[in-house]
Amino acid sequence: MSEKIDRIIAAAPVIPVVTIRVVEDAVPLARALAAGGLPAVEVTLRTPGSLAALEAIARNVPEAIAGAGTVLSKGQAKAAAEAGAAFLVSPGATEALILGIREMGIPWLPGAATASEVMRLREAGFYRQKFFPAEQAGGAAMLKGWGAPLPDVVFCPTGGISAANAKDYLSLPNVGCVGGSWVAPSKMIAEKDWAGITALAQAAAALPR
Ligand code: 3PG
């Protein structure tokens, strides 16, 4: 399983976290992000049209890697996979999700915010995890602290990350990529400022790691 998620983590230093309110925005948004060098995109399942948005990207934007975020249940995981999600992301993890998603065999970034949560997921075979909410849960210093006792777990921190602090995370050996909404701000999506989003994506794609 880690090989498949590794390809998504390796695609770019940043996975944009996007919340799509107007389904028609999905395709131009994913195209704008991919054009800037960010192919993987996490569509949060927080809006009524999120599955339709995910499906539209999966079908119409071959240069993108569409994933589903905010996956809280096995039902949502299945619906996202049916909509064409290439990967799933969750803010945490439950036994039901661990069993259900393992059975589905789809790449998954389960969330962890404490050493015990990291260890439980590691025991379950998940060596690639989302650290969430990154800034609130201890930031880059926390991940640096986990690096010594848990060096084989690679994180994609998300939550409060921006162009200003992304480098602090990306410079750590146990960080594969970071996630965040700063590359696709809701105001720019509402204004359909696709060129502006491509420019933000270009800057994010150029971050060293
Ligand atoms: C997530 O779902 O991972 C977060 O809401 C994204 O966090 P951000 O908006 O602080 O980047």
Side-chain angles (χ1 to χ4, degrees), residues 196-209:
I197 287 174
T198 294
L200 287 177
Q202 271 167 343
L207 287 166
R209 58 173 168 173

Side-chain angles (χ1 to χ4, degrees), residues 15-19 42 44 46 69-70 89-91 130-136 156-162 179-183:
I15 299 180
V17 177
V18 302
T19 297
E42 175 189 330
T44 65
R46 294 180 207 168
T70 326
V89 184
S90 300
K130 165 169 168 151
F131 174 46
F132 179 81
E135 280 294 289
Q136 297 87 333
C156 175
T158 307
I161 300 183
S162 65
S181 59
W182 89 90
V183 283

Side-chain angles (χ1 to χ4, degrees), residues 6-103:
D6 276 348
R7 252 179 270 147
I8 288 147
I9 290 172
V14 178
I15 299 180
V17 177
V18 302
T19 297
I20 300 175
R21 291 184 172 76
V22 178
V23 176
E24 291 68 38
D25 289 341
V27 166
L29 173 59
R31 283 191 182 133
L33 290 165
L38 302 182
V41 57
E42 175 189 330
V43 178
T44 65
L45 302 186
R46 294 180 207 168
T47 51
S50 55
L51 284 172
L54 179 67
E55 189 164 11
I57 298 170
R59 283 204 180 163
N60 302 301
V61 194
E63 67 272 32
I65 308 168
T70 326
V71 175
L72 305 181
S73 69
K74 191 179 163 184
Q76 279 182 315
K78 281 194 165 159
E82 277 162 24
F87 66 99
L88 307 178
V89 184
S90 300
T94 63
E95 283 310 304
L97 273 178
I98 289 172
L99 294 175
I101 293 179
R102 190 194 277 134
E103 194 182 283

